[in-house]
Amino acid sequence: MATEKQYGVTAAFSSDPPNTRDLKLNDTLVLEFKAQNNFAPQSDTDKREAILKKLESLLQRMVQVVGKKKGLPAGILDSAGGKVFTYGSYRLGVYGPNSDIDTLCVAPKHVTREDFFECMPDILRNAWTPEELTGLVPVPGIGTPIIKLTIQGVDIDLIFSNLQVSSVPPDLNLTDDNLLRGLDETDRRCVNGTRVAQRVLELVPQTKPFRLALRAIKLWAQRRAIYGNVYGYPGGIAYAILVARVCQLYPKAAAPLLISKFFFIMKRWNWPKPVFLQSKEETSLQLREWDPMAYRGDAAHLMPILTPSYPSMNTAHTIGQSTKMVIMRELDRGEKIVQDIYDGKKQWKDLLQRHTFFTESYKHYITIITAARTKQDHDNWAGLVHSKAKRLVADIEHSDAKSVELVQLFNKGFERVHECRSPEDIEKTLEGDLSCQVQATKTMEETNDPRMQGVAQTETDGAELPIMNGDAQSQEKGPQKVWTTTYYLGIGLKKGATGLDISMPVKNFSGECTMWPSYNEDVHSIKIKHIRSFALPPDVFVDGETPPARPKKKAAAVQKSAEAPNNKRSFSDTGLDANADPAKRRQSANGPSATSTPNGMTARPNGASG
């Protein structure tokens, strides 16, 4: 009997084919995806392929234009080429009708990154009509420089790398490690996405069940608000690696069993033991890889999920103590629900239910309210604060706040636009009041904002955040608009805790944000507040959700509480009092700058009055 092929670094747990129950649940899973519009129609796929084909021809034209400017001979230009690769959900085959296309443009060595950002935007603008090309924003000044554009309703992220070769032929394969020679860190980061996605597909036994299982896990993670590196959770490639590892252990399994085993295995995984898909490769290249023995920072990672291509890196380096607790809690929930699905007690839609972050999970929340007088100033400022938000979580985790069990940063910010007619309107808007709001709230996921793309791709915590160009709107007369973005942190208190002191982490975080070189105390504002669950604004809830109600106190309990001495600090003692009189806060902030007020380090845009 022939020995079956081993996938991964260990033998399979089971090589049994799917049984009747697996196949039936596979059919119901596909039906659930169709009901939730998770599959892109064929017409959408055809449109995407046509766009990519045209992008490649435009890239090749750009390579020719740059070469001619630099005086290269015709013989070299004839074979210079240029090729477009994809990565992310599109390359893995798990994209939906609203998914973007992560795209890598690869050119020969005579084309620099500066050439790309100088020439490519105009070539793109001339290739489509204004009705077809509805957005184009170059963002060169970040860790992974990018051009974000929307073509025929499809969002596309273009990144670029040249290779130290004279030509890029149509059959070029980026899996060759030798192509990394001579590349700087930015170029390696650009090509790594494509290399990792390709290698993941090569290391799974069957792509069809892998893709179906990954769709389920990604949708589950997104619905449960545990998705996104910048918020301290695994991102798309990390979840892909985890699902791929389960596929290696059950090489013939159908998607439902893979989903079941995903929850079973990852819940019991011996973290921080890393998850990886292949043994370490030997190479003559001397590039830094993830190594907890050599690097103290790597040794501190809580849930290492390693890329399979060289150089191997941890895709989940932002996971902290609290986010790990939240992930483990959701893995436990997922395992129980999938078991009930196999037992016929529940359906796939139960696994994919929306999170309860605002409705049930917490009684206390910290809000970070960023504000500015123009959209341009707001976008830059909110992006900077957003890039640092997970640092506040870590500081609270490591602070002296012994009553805190965990801090969960919600994985979307809420963007609002307000029209203020008086200094009092501006003041209460900075405090989080929504009475002046004039446009529907959007989450960052809906805005597809380039500043968020930059944050997600860099590990500099905003140090390289670009200043986005845009039209600064003058508001010298009439009502003044104020743009805000609010981030929410759920605070889980330990059993029996009655107080909380996180004033020092909050003060440090606010101070770090206001040290941003482009910070202007007359333009930018940051306000950090505590609110109770029953005081959450209505726009954080969706149709069908019941907002938390104010708890009713029993008379006897109120009397007892009034008589008993309180030796613990309450929220009002921390500088995050949710119920303090706004007028008193304005008095305490009197002066040209209010960056050092006792209640949350706030700064006012022009027009605010002390």
Side-chain angles (χ1 to χ4, degrees):
M1 182 176 179
T3 303
E4 292 193 10
K5 179 180 177 180
Q6 175 178 311
Y7 293 88
V9 295
T10 61
F13 287 170
S14 173
S15 296
D16 294 340
N19 59 32
T20 303
R21 184 61 175 155
D22 294 330
L23 296 176
K24 184 176 181 180
L25 288 176
N26 194 82
D27 292 340
T28 59
L29 179 61
V30 171
L31 290 175
E32 183 61 31
F33 282 142
K34 290 180 178 179
Q36 299 205 25
N37 194 32
N38 191 259
F39 293 118
Q42 186 59 46
S43 58
D44 185 80
T45 299
D46 294 342
K47 178 170 66 174
R48 290 165 184 261
E49 291 178 352
I51 290 173
L52 289 172
K53 184 176 181 180
K54 186 170 182 178
L55 281 174
E56 186 164 272
S57 68
L58 296 176
L59 172 65
Q60 293 169 354
R61 183 191 306 174
M62 188 269 294
V63 170
Q64 295 290 315
V65 169
V66 172
K68 289 177 181 178
K69 284 183 178 180
K70 296 184 176 182
L72 296 183
I76 292 179
L77 292 179
D78 288 343
S79 60
K83 187 172 181 179
V84 165
F85 296 86
T86 58
Y87 60 102
S89 62
Y90 188 83
R91 180 65 187 92
L92 291 171
V94 292
Y95 61 95
N98 298 317
S99 300
D100 61 3
I101 306 179
D102 296 315
T103 308
L104 167 67
C105 297
V106 174
K109 60 184 178 181
H110 75 264
V111 182
T112 66
R113 191 175 302 110
E114 290 74 18
D115 294 330
F116 177 77
F117 279 92
E118 179 183 346
C119 299
M120 198 64 179
D122 287 338
I123 292 176
L124 293 169
R125 291 187 185 98
N126 294 329
W128 282 279
T129 66
E131 292 75 22
E132 294 174 318
L133 182 61
T134 55
L136 193 158
V137 182
V139 192
I142 59 176
T144 305
I146 190 170
I147 297 177
K148 292 187 71 70
L149 62 156
T150 303
I151 301 173
Q152 298 174 359
V154 179
D155 293 323
I156 299 174
D157 293 347
L158 284 182
I159 62 175
F160 171 84
S161 175
N162 67 3
L163 301 177
Q164 297 305 302
V165 295
S166 299
S167 65
V168 176
D171 60 349
L172 178 74
N173 191 330
L174 291 178
T175 56
D176 182 0
D177 290 346
N178 288 315
L179 292 175
L180 299 177
R181 295 184 185 278
L183 301 188
D184 61 22
E185 184 177 352
T186 299
D187 286 329
R188 290 198 301 270
R189 187 160 50 238
C190 287
V191 302
N192 193 49
T194 297
R195 284 166 51 84
V196 170
Q198 177 63 34
R199 191 62 181 141
V200 167
L201 291 174
E202 292 172 352
L203 291 171
V204 295
Q206 304 179 84
T207 56
K208 187 173 181 179
F210 162 73
R211 285 171 168 159
L212 198 59
L214 180 56
R215 277 184 184 273
I217 297 305
K218 283 189 64 175
L219 187 56
W220 160 79
Q222 291 164 349
R223 293 282 174 82
R224 303 305 296 176
I226 54 170
Y227 189 94
N229 268 319
V230 74
Y231 293 95
Y233 301 104
I237 194 62
Y239 281 115
I241 293 170
L242 294 179
V243 173
R245 183 66 186 121
V246 176
C247 290
Q248 292 178 335
L249 296 173
Y250 298 88
K252 295 183 180 179
L257 185 64
L258 294 174
I259 296 168
S260 174
K261 296 303 182 182
F262 168 87
F263 290 110
F264 180 88
I265 292 173
M266 296 309 158
K267 175 186 170 183
R268 294 166 177 80
W269 192 265
N270 187 25
W271 306 106
K273 178 182 178 181
V275 175
F276 48 89
L277 301 180
Q278 64 180 23
S279 300
K280 187 174 181 179
E281 295 180 321
E282 296 297 328
T283 176
S284 60
L285 298 177
Q286 300 295 317
L287 301 179
R288 186 194 188 287
E289 291 193 278
W290 185 84
D291 186 347
M293 301 298 292
Y295 304 105
R296 181 178 300 179
D298 292 352
H301 292 169
L302 300 181
M303 299 180 74
I305 303 170
L306 307 185
T307 57
S309 61
Y310 180 82
S312 182
M313 303 299 291
N314 178 17
T315 63
H317 64 277
T318 63
I319 292 177
Q321 297 175 7
S322 293
T323 46
K324 180 185 176 183
M325 291 177 64
V326 173
I327 293 168
M328 299 308 294
R329 183 175 68 194
E330 290 296 337
L331 288 172
D332 181 67
R333 170 189 174 273
E335 181 188 20
K336 293 175 180 176
I337 291 178
V338 175
Q339 184 58 55
D340 284 344
I341 292 172
Y342 263 88
D343 293 341
K345 299 176 182 178
K346 290 188 176 180
Q347 301 176 342
W348 289 112
K349 64 180 181 181
D350 296 309
L351 176 67
L352 305 176
Q353 283 182 347
R354 177 176 153 92
H355 60 84
T356 58
F357 181 86
F358 295 111
T359 55
E360 300 177 8
S361 298
Y362 303 102
K363 294 181 180 179
H364 299 277
Y365 296 83
I366 300 299
T367 62
I368 306 173
I369 307 165
T370 64
R373 281 189 63 213
T374 70
K375 188 178 189 306
Q376 176 185 338
D377 288 323
H378 163 264
D379 288 351
N380 295 325
W381 175 233
L384 182 280
V385 175
H386 172 263
S387 72
K388 295 179 178 293
K390 62 181 181 292
R391 297 275 291 273
L392 176 58
V393 174
D395 287 348
I396 295 175
E397 290 173 343
H398 296 96
S399 72
D400 294 330
K402 303 300 182 183
S403 56
V404 176
E405 183 177 31
L406 65 87
V407 185
Q408 182 179 0
L409 173 63
F410 187 63
N411 69 339
K412 296 180 181 68
F414 290 78
E415 298 188 353
R416 304 176 176 107
V417 182
H418 315 261
E419 195 171 88
C420 302
R421 299 181 180 276
S422 68
E424 290 73 22
D425 283 349
I426 293 178
E427 182 67 24
K428 66 183 183 182
T429 296
L430 302 186
E431 296 283 342
D433 185 273
L434 304 185
S435 60
C436 296
Q437 185 175 352
V438 293
Q439 294 183 15
T441 302
K442 292 183 179 181
T443 62
M444 286 186 174
E445 183 180 68
E446 295 168 334
T447 62
N448 193 31
D449 199 318
R451 62 190 161 88
M452 294 301 102
Q453 184 75 25
V455 169
Q457 291 179 344
T458 182
E459 298 179 22
T460 57
D461 288 311
E464 298 180 13
L465 194 75
I467 302 298
M468 300 299 299
N469 292 321
D471 295 328
Q473 300 180 21
S474 176
Q475 301 184 55
E476 296 299 327
K477 298 180 181 179
Q480 296 190 26
K481 282 189 175 180
V482 175
W483 280 259
T484 66
T485 295
T486 303
Y487 307 95
Y488 294 88
L489 287 74
I491 304 293
L493 299 180
K494 294 179 180 177
K495 188 175 181 180
T498 59
L500 175 67
D501 184 357
I502 56 173
S503 54
M504 188 56 67
V506 167
K507 181 179 180 181
N508 292 340
F509 172 75
S510 299
E512 186 175 348
C513 290
T514 55
M515 288 177 64
W516 182 43
S518 298
Y519 171 76
N520 183 340
E521 64 184 20
D522 294 324
V523 174
H524 304 112
S525 166
I526 180 170
K527 179 71 177 179
I528 304 176
K529 297 180 60 180
H530 156 251
I531 61 173
R532 297 290 299 273
S533 58
F534 56 79
L536 288 166
D539 57 1
V540 303
F541 304 100
V542 298
D543 291 343
E545 288 186 331
T546 302
R550 181 186 292 270
K552 296 180 180 179
K553 293 184 178 180
K554 295 181 180 179
V558 172
Q559 178 66 23
K560 182 178 180 181
S561 175
E563 296 174 353
N566 184 3
N567 296 322
K568 294 186 178 181
R569 299 189 67 180
S570 67
F571 276 102
S572 59
D573 296 320
T574 69
L576 297 173
D577 183 12
N579 302 309
D581 184 352
K584 292 181 179 179
R585 281 197 294 262
R586 288 197 296 272
Q587 292 172 7
S588 69
N590 190 28
S593 171
T595 57
S596 300
T597 64
N599 62 309
M601 300 285 289
T602 215
R604 302 183 305 278
N606 286 341
S609 172

